[in-house]
Amino acid sequence: MLDDLGLVPALEWQAREVSRRTGLWVKIAAEDVPEDLPEEHKTCVYRIVQEALHNIVRHAEAHQVKVRVGHGAGGLMLEIEDDGKGFNARREKGMGLLGIQERVSHLGGSFLVESHPGKGTRLRVTLPASMPETKETMA
């Protein structure tokens, strides 16, 4: 789907499916998202949104989720915010969040989770405009 439709339409489809299946209101807002993003970036963003929505449905008891994707000077930015019950982000990191963090760091990006009990959760991801260069070792 990602290859056929592109990133933003694939995210919108994902949001509609989650809303239809669960009753959770999911809004996608996209600004200045280039179509020529590296495939790794598109896949990373799609999978992060997929995992975040799964976590929200399963744990957050949220009613609304806002997903923002944009492109700026720092690269590709993704923010996912819910109005759920929140959690202590310093103490609780399940496998889903660890997987997201690993995906982001693999691409040289940054990942931040902001959450407090009773106040919802916000994930912020920034991916650099291009892939980090790999260092080859000389034998």
Side-chain angles (χ1 to χ4, degrees), residues 37-95:
L37 287 171
E39 291 303 315
E40 295 86 354
H41 284 59
K42 291 179 191 177
T43 301
C44 181
V45 169
Y46 185 82
R47 294 290 182 214
I48 289 170
V49 172
Q50 187 176 47
E51 180 64 34
L53 290 175
H54 175 78
N55 286 347
I56 291 165
V57 167
R58 194 161 181 210
H59 303 292
E61 299 175 15
H63 301 288
Q64 298 183 58
V65 179
K66 295 176 189 163
V67 177
R68 294 178 198 87
V69 184
H71 196 267
L76 186 65
M77 291 162 279
L78 170 65
E79 184 175 275
I80 304 166
E81 184 175 5
D82 71 55
D83 66 349
K85 66 181 183 179
F87 64 98
N88 186 331
R90 291 179 185 234
R91 295 166 122 182
E92 302 173 48
K93 264 200 185 152
M95 294 303 290

Side-chain angles (χ1 to χ4, degrees), residues 19-34:
S19 293
R20 182 185 60 77
R21 221 176 44 247
T22 67
L24 180 67
W25 183 84
V26 183
K27 171 71 175 156
I28 304 290
E31 265 185 48
D32 302 324
V33 179

